[in-house]
Every structure is written in C-alpha cells, then in structure tokens.
C-alpha cells in the first residue's frame, strides 16, 4: 500500500559545483563534434581539481577534429573547456579559466564498439544501441512542467541565484552552491516546505549573515505562497563559511549527479549518466524519450503520474522491454498504453534520435539545473519536453 502522508527531500547543485563543471565541459565536447558532423560519436569524461582539467574518452568525427592517426584537435577542445569555466565564472586562485592546466586524452572510438552500433555491421541490420542498459522516464502533475516539486524547486532556487550572480546583482556569491528542499505531502500532494538548505560559495569579506541576506530572497521568490518553512528550518551555509569552493575545494567528475539530473529520487534511475555522450548512447537518448512519453501521457490527462522503463542490448535496435506504470492514477489499461506509445514513437536508437532531432549541438545547456522540466528551445534544445503527442495518446486510448 502506498504512503500518502510523508516528507520528501530532493537536492540540486549549481553550474559551479565541481561535478557540474565536468558535465558542462564533457557536453561542450559533444556539441563540438555534433556541430561538425551530426553522426559523430563521443564518450568524453572530465575530471577537475585545483587548477587542473583532464579529459579522456573515445571520439569519432571528421578531420581536423579526429585525424587519420586517431589524434584529436586538442587546441579546439582545450579552448572549449576554458570557455566553459569562464562562462561559469571561475577566476579564482585555485581554479581559473585562463591558468588551469588542461590535459586531453581523447582518442579514436573502438572499432569493436562501432561495429555493434553502425547499421548493418552488428547482429542487427539496423543501427543498434550503443550499450546495454535500462532507462526510466517520469512525469507527474505536481508542477506546471510535470516534474516532482522537490527537485523542481531545488533547481529554481539555484537558478535564481545564478541569474543574480551573472547579472551582477549578487556580486558576493560564488559559482559553487547546493540546495535541498523538503516538502510535506498530504494525500499524496505537496502542500508546503518543511525545510530548505542552501550552501553557497561567497567572497571572503561576507559574513554568514550577509550571505543569508543575499540568499533568502531567492528562496522566498521560488517557493509558492504559503510554502515557506519556519525561520528555524531555513539553513543557509550551516557550516558558517564557504569561501574555497568548486574544483579547488573538491575534485569533480562527469556523471556523478545523475539523480540531480533527473527526478531528485522521486522516480527510478537506470544508472547511466547523460553528459559527455552523443545520442547514439541510449543512456542518454532513451532516457530522454522515456521522459517525453511519460510527460505526454500525463499531459494527455489519462494519468496523473507515469513511469516508463525501456531496456536495450548493445548492437540491437529494438528495445527488449517497454514498461508503463501509472501508479494507480491511470484511466486506461497500462498494456494498452504501452502499445499506443510504441505505435506513436519508433523506439529504435535511430528512431529516437530522428523523432527528437537529437543529432544537434544542444547538450552543453543541459549540464546544470536538470535535463527535465525545461522549456523547449527554438533550435531544438530540450525537444523531449514537448507535449506534441498528448492529443494523439488521448485519442488512441
């Protein structure tokens, strides 16, 4: 039996968090290759620490990005990495976009992987999945963007702070920050926040009280009317000081914030990270199409909640399974819903990329504040957030 009255917490981290710096750089590399060749392949991991950035992985693309001997255009990639760090706002002694040492260890993609993915070369005559794995998508009616409220609000607090920092309004705040929102649910619906935690990097001269004065308006702006917790349950920089931050304070790695990237723990996660991967990797593309289908199911009005799972094998084009769960809120049979979704969307790796138009340089923007619950961009970014098949789902069922 499901629990209807409870507290639930989700966290977010800012674009300046060490792991998010890495996600941004890895996705910038993806964008470079897709801009040069929509069929390029990228699997790029990034590590950051005190004034050091290290990139490693496998790529496939046109010259001069990838040369015949397997070497890559290190100058272009280094420039992109520095531009990411500069845009985030790191100009600190321990981590500076201009002075950090950049190491690049990218090389040509393994032919063993390529032969399983390329059309006609693996066990399938069609293009196969880039790896095995399970992917989940989720949507619910808790927010206007059909996301769970705790993660949505956690993202929005940090995004509001980042906008103020970039615009020069809150000049004392640094790039590295984290948020955490706990909501009270009654009868399965969120009614208020019981606590909010925000830790943010700041200038040396600011006191804890100064930081609290800068941060509190962002919390008040984001939380709905009547949702503010008591003053005693608002924790702003609870350790008292947060001057040393970012990769200088803690090493970062690509792909360590997968729950922040998705649903804040309110829904399952298959385990695969998104950033640094081109869309032939179903860790990324199938998670996007799962969210797309779940969101359209909820937007159609046939369910208030929807979880979808897809499973793939490397080199195989069709999904091994399609699972739909409407958590007791559905108005139609879930097996029927699964059939309808598969009739509306080609769930092969190529079909997913075609439907969502994923072979474009649209990924660096996804690296912070969640891959889901975002507004679709005119150039195709966040295409998986569209609700353009909701009417078709409703009509079909």
């Amino acid at each position: 039996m499901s629990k209807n009255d409870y507290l639930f917490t989700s966290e977010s981290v800012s674009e300046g968090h060490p792991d998010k710096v890495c996600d941004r750089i890895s996705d910038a590399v993806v964008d470079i290759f897709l801009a040069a060749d929509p069929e390029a392949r990228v699997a790029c991991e990034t590590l950051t620490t005190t004034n050091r950035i290290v990139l490693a992985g496998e790529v496939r693309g046109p010259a001069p990005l990838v040369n015949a001997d397997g070497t890559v255009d290190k100058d272009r990639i280094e420039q992109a990495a520095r531009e990411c760090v500069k845009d985030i706002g790191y100009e600190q002694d321990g981590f500076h976009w201009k002075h950090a040492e950049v190491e690049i260890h990218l090389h040509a993609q393994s032919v063993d992987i390529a032969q399983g993915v390329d059309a006609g070369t693996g066990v399938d005559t069609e293009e196969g999945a880039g790896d095995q794995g399970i992917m989940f998508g989720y949507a619910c009616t808790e927010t206007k963007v059909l996301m769970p409220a705790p993660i949505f609000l956690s993202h929005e607090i940090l995004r509001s702070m980042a906008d103020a920092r970039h615009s020069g309004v809150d000049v004392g705040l640094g790039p590295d920050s984290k948020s955490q929102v706990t909501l009270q649910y009654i009868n399965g619906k969120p009614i208020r926040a019981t606590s909010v935690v925000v830790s943010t990097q700041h200038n040396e001269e600011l006191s804890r009280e100064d930081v609290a004065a800068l941060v509190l308006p962002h919390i008040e702006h984001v939380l709905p009317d009547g949702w503010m917790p008591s003053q005693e349950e608002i924790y702003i920089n609870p350790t008292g000081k947060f001057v040393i931050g970012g990769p200088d304070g803690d090493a970062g790695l690509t792909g360590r914030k997968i729950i922040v990237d998705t649903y804040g723990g309110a829904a399952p996660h298959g385990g695969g990270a998104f950033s640094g991967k081109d869309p032939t990797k179903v860790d990324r593309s199938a998670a996007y199409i799962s969210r797309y289908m779940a969101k359209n199911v909820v937007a159609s009005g046939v369910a208030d909640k929807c979880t979808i799972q897809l499973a793939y094998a490397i080199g195989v084009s069709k999904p091994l399974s399609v699972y739909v769960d409407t958590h007791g809120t559905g108005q139609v049979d879930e097996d029927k819903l699964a059939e309808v979704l598969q009739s509306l969307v080609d769930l092969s790796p190529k079909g997913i990329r075609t439907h969502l138009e994923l072979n474009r340089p649209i990924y660096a923007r996804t690296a912070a504040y969640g891959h889901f619950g975002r507004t679709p961009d005119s150039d195709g970014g966040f295409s998986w957030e569209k609700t353009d098949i909701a009417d078709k789902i409703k009509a079909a069922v």
Side-chain angles (χ1 to χ4, degrees), residues 309-369:
Q309 184 206 58
L310 302 177
Y312 289 86
I314 188 169
V316 179
S317 62
K318 66 180 179 66
L320 306 184
S321 64
V322 180
Y323 166 83
V324 178
D325 183 2
T326 55
H327 305 275
T329 70
Q331 301 175 24
V332 297
D333 179 75
E334 289 159 338
D335 291 338
K336 170 65 174 176
L337 194 53
E339 292 176 6
V340 168
L341 291 171
Q342 291 177 82
S343 72
L344 295 174
V345 182
D346 179 355
L347 295 177
S348 68
K350 185 175 182 179
I352 293 170
R353 299 203 316 278
T354 301
H355 190 100
L356 296 180
E357 298 181 283
L358 296 179
N359 286 84
R360 293 186 279 187
I362 55 175
Y363 297 104
R365 70 193 74 172
T366 68
Y369 313 116

Side-chain angles (χ1 to χ4, degrees), residues 10-53:
S10 293
E11 70 157 349
S12 179
V13 297
S14 72
E15 64 198 61
H17 185 280
D19 296 331
K20 282 292 149 197
V21 174
C22 296
D23 286 347
R24 172 74 173 272
I25 294 171
S26 292
D27 273 339
V29 174
V30 173
D31 284 352
I32 288 172
F33 275 80
L34 291 179
D37 178 4
E39 299 299 327
R41 304 278 172 80
V42 182
C44 176
E45 310 294 342
T46 303
L47 175 147
T48 56
T49 185
T50 301
N51 269 334
R52 187 179 294 270
I53 302 168

